[in-house]
């Protein structure tokens, strides 16, 4: 992707060397540095960057001045000169001082993982909420780094491509940046209130909600499209979906649920981004059921599943009923498929196999369904008869003198809300 530099009118392609520093702290954290670096390559390519080379270093602690060791800085400079690189992208977060020192020494644009992800999100945001969230995350990230001028500051403002907040915003003083952050938070609060009103309406209407969650590029949007015929953006790239999308899904028996696609998770998801997108991510907390979509063909499948579970834990949604969908089974070897966990709550599927899509709707219906009970409703209590259709699937009904007997497969959560009205009408065996 071509970018316009701030100091010339010529367009220059981002050509980058990627840098990863593996410290003792990272090793203890459980973060897989190799997976993280592989993702950095994908992130860079998603942002339109040409990746020229990858440089790794093992070090007990980061260098306070350069982040990497002084010798590695020289190796990076020689590699950039030899390959014609104009950008270095680091897989860990850098301080403002480290960015300035590296830029002055190397004469390269210095980007870290956090800024790269923020730049990608800036290119993906389409709704007002998404745009506000991204700008808030960008400014929160940049504020503590605004202690330079000239070339450093303009580069910091530009990011990858032209997706940074821009030099004009960053040339104002910290007070104006803080004012802008306060204004964005105010706007976001309004959006959050509107989102909460929508959630409340869904709760009152008895709408059953199912959330698709998973690692980025696991195939959540494809499943949403195939299950509901939704007109959603599909692309084989990281963070193709940013704004949550909800569509109605019809289950066997005719019952309808609301299926919501959420933003993909990733290892080391920037803190500022999680904070800004919390209202969006918390859609998962409203779900009656979580579909955890896994890329079954990924060699890092288990690590990716751990990241998703960790983020669900942070959001307070780890206890939700969950079905694991091992997606992209059509891209797996037979031995890979045999290694996948099996049993209740696990399905091996392909989003492009109609039979698998049917199996998904069936397992959703089974998971949401509670016990099958028979209710004896007086003939003059039409309100209770209507309520039964809301709390489950009416399998059959017949008349017995002045009463109507309903055989109902109950939705656990819906029946829980209304059992105080219906429990006394359960027909005892």
């Amino acid at each position: 992707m071509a970018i316009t530099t701030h100091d010339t009118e010529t367009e220059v392609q981002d050509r980058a060397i990627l840098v990863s520093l593996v410290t003792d702290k990272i090793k203890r954290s459980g973060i897989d540095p190799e997976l993280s670096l592989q993702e950095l390559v994908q992130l860079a390519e998603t942002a339109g960057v040409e990746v020229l080379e990858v440089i790794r270093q093992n070090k007990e602690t980061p260098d306070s001045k350069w982040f990497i060791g002084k010798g590695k800085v020289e190796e990076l400079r020689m590699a950039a000169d030899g390959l014609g690189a104009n950008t270095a992208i680091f897989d860990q977060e850098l301080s403002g001082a480290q960015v300035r020192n590296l830029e002055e020494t190397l004469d390269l644009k210095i980007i870290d993982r956090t800024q790269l992800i923020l730049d990608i999100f800036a290119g993906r945001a389409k709704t007002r909420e998404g745009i506000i969230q991204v700008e808030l995350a960008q400014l929160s990230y940049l504020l503590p780094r605004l202690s330079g001028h000239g070339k450093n500051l303009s580069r910091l403002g530009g990011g990858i491509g032209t997706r940074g907040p821009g030099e004009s915003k960053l040339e104002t003083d910290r007070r104006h940046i803080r004012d802008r952050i306060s204004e964005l938070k105010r706007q976001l609060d309004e959006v959050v209130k509107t989102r909460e009103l929508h959630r409340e309406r869904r709760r009152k209407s008895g709408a059953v909600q199912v959330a698709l969650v998973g690692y980025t590029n696991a195939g959540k949007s494809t499943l949403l499209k195939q299950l509901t015929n939704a007109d959603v953006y599909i692309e084989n790239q990281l963070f193709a979906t940013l704004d949550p999308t909800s569509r109605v899904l019809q289950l066997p028996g005719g019952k309808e649920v609301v299926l919501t696609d959420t933003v993909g998770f990733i290892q080391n998801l920037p803190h500022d981004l999680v904070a800004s997108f919390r209202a969006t991510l918390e859609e998962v907390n409203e779900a009656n059921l979580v579909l955890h979509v896994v890329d079954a063909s990924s060699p890092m499948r288990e690590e990716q599943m751990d990241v998703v579970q960790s983020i669900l834990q942070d959001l307070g949604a780890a206890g939700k009923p969950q079905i694991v969908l091992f997606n992209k089974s059509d891209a797996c070897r037979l031995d890979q498929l045999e290694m996948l966990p099996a049993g209740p709550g696990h399905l091996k599927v392909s989003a492009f196999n109609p039979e698998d899509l049917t199996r998904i709707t069936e397992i959703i219906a089974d998971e949401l369904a509670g016990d099958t009970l028979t209710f004896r409703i007086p003939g003059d209590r039409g309100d209770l008869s209507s309520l039964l259709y809301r709390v489950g699937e009416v399998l059959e009904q017949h008349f017995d003198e002045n009463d109507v007997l309903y055989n109902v497969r109950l939705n656990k959560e819906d029946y829980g809300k209304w059992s105080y009205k219906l429990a006394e009408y359960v027909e005892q065996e």
Side-chain angles (χ1 to χ4, degrees):
M1 179 178 294
I3 68 168
T4 301
T5 60
H6 292 283
D7 43 5
T8 72
E9 291 302 318
T10 58
E11 290 195 342
V12 180
Q13 168 76 30
D14 279 297
R15 307 179 76 239
I17 296 174
L18 309 189
V19 184
S20 175
L21 178 68
V22 181
T23 62
D24 290 348
K25 184 179 179 181
I26 288 175
K27 291 174 184 174
R28 290 194 302 269
S29 71
I31 292 172
D32 186 321
E34 201 53 41
L35 168 62
S36 188
L37 191 52
Q38 289 174 21
E39 287 176 350
L40 190 68
V41 173
Q42 289 181 279
L43 287 165
E45 290 172 348
T46 296
V49 176
E50 181 184 354
V51 177
L52 303 176
E53 189 175 328
V54 173
I55 291 177
R56 300 170 176 83
Q57 182 177 32
N58 287 283
K59 205 171 183 295
E60 286 185 11
T61 57
D63 186 279
S64 59
K65 185 174 182 181
W66 313 103
F67 188 70
I68 52 177
K70 190 173 182 181
K72 218 61 175 175
V73 174
E74 182 59 22
E75 181 184 331
L76 175 55
R77 187 188 65 76
M78 292 175 64
D81 288 346
L83 296 169
N86 56 19
T87 305
I89 304 177
F90 285 71
D91 197 26
Q92 293 81 24
E93 193 166 300
L94 304 176
S95 70
Q98 288 165 339
V99 170
R100 287 191 301 279
N101 292 335
L102 288 165
E103 285 188 335
E104 287 168 2
T105 303
L106 298 169
D107 195 32
L108 297 173
K109 178 163 60 178
I110 304 297
I111 300 286
D112 65 17
R113 181 186 181 93
T114 297
Q115 189 174 358
L116 181 61
I117 292 174
L118 292 174
D119 287 344
I120 292 170
F121 269 58
R124 296 282 187 269
K126 298 291 184 287
T127 65
R128 176 171 174 261
E129 180 180 8
I131 291 166
I132 292 170
Q133 287 167 323
V134 171
E135 187 181 351
L136 179 58
Q138 286 179 315
L139 293 178
S140 298
Y141 164 78
L142 290 172
L143 181 61
R145 293 166 171 78
L146 298 182
S147 55
H149 298 285
K151 181 170 65 175
N152 293 329
L153 188 55
S154 67
R155 278 179 171 163
L156 198 58
I160 289 291
T162 56
R163 294 188 289 271
E167 185 176 2
S168 61
K169 283 195 180 76
L170 301 183
E171 285 175 339
T172 58
D173 61 24
R174 279 189 174 83
R175 181 174 59 80
H176 289 138
I177 297 291
R178 290 196 180 98
D179 287 347
R180 178 62 180 161
I181 287 175
S182 297
E183 172 60 18
L184 288 169
K185 285 181 176 178
R186 186 193 64 75
Q187 292 180 27
L188 194 56
D189 283 344
E190 290 178 4
V191 176
V192 169
K193 286 175 185 172
T194 302
R195 181 180 288 280
E196 183 53 41
L197 284 173
H198 290 159
R199 286 173 179 164
E200 189 60 33
R201 281 197 207 105
R202 288 203 297 259
R203 289 187 205 113
K204 287 180 177 176
S205 70
V208 177
Q209 298 173 66
V210 179
L212 289 161
V213 304
Y215 216 74
T216 183
N217 209 26
K220 300 184 303 303
S221 297
T222 303
L223 274 170
L224 179 75
K225 181 174 185 177
Q226 295 296 103
L227 286 166
T228 67
N229 296 315
D231 181 19
V232 293
Y233 179 70
I234 307 290
E235 192 59 57
N236 183 28
Q237 57 186 206
L238 302 187
F239 302 121
T241 302
L242 179 55
D243 298 304
T245 305
S246 295
R247 294 290 185 271
V248 173
L249 170 65
Q250 190 168 71
L251 300 179
K255 185 172 180 64
E256 292 183 339
V257 299
V258 177
L259 184 62
T260 300
D261 186 16
T262 60
V263 63
F265 300 155
I266 194 169
Q267 189 171 236
N268 297 336
L269 199 60
H271 171 76
D272 289 326
L273 203 59
V274 173
S276 296
F277 277 77
R278 194 164 189 87
T280 301
L281 291 169
E282 284 178 348
E283 284 288 307
V284 179
N285 286 330
E286 297 300 313
N288 305 83
L289 175 66
V290 172
L291 301 182
H292 179 180
V293 184
V294 179
D295 180 356
S297 66
S298 170
M300 311 306 294
R301 181 190 72 244
E302 291 184 13
E303 290 84 352
Q304 293 175 355
M305 291 177 71
D306 287 344
V307 170
V308 172
Q309 293 301 339
S310 174
I311 295 175
L312 288 176
Q313 184 82 41
D314 291 344
L315 293 170
K320 290 279 180 184
Q322 189 176 128
I323 297 170
V324 179
L325 301 180
F326 291 108
N327 192 30
K328 305 187 183 182
S329 62
D330 50 330
C332 293
R333 302 186 309 273
L334 183 60
D335 61 314
Q336 283 180 302
L337 287 173
E338 290 174 347
M339 297 270 298
L340 295 172
H346 296 78
L347 271 186
K348 303 169 189 178
V349 301
S350 165
F352 300 105
N353 184 330
E355 292 179 3
D356 287 348
L357 297 176
T358 299
R359 288 167 61 217
I360 292 170
T361 58
E362 288 173 347
I363 198 172
I364 291 172
D366 288 344
E367 182 61 36
L368 292 173
D371 298 325
T372 300
L373 295 178
T374 300
F375 294 84
R376 178 179 290 274
I377 305 296
D380 60 355
R381 291 300 305 273
D383 59 322
L384 295 178
S385 297
S386 299
L387 187 56
L388 286 176
Y389 280 90
R390 287 175 58 187
V391 301
E393 179 184 356
V394 176
L395 302 175
E396 59 178 339
Q397 69 178 70
H398 63 271
F399 294 92
D400 182 17
E401 296 184 355
N402 295 325
D403 299 333
V404 186
L405 294 177
Y406 293 91
N407 192 23
V408 184
R409 184 162 63 193
L410 298 168
N411 175 289
K412 298 173 187 175
E413 191 149 344
D414 286 346
Y415 181 62
K417 295 174 188 174
W418 297 102
S419 59
Y420 72 95
K421 274 194 172 186
L422 294 168
E424 64 180 285
Y425 297 100
V426 175
E427 185 83 333
Q428 303 299 322
E429 294 182 3

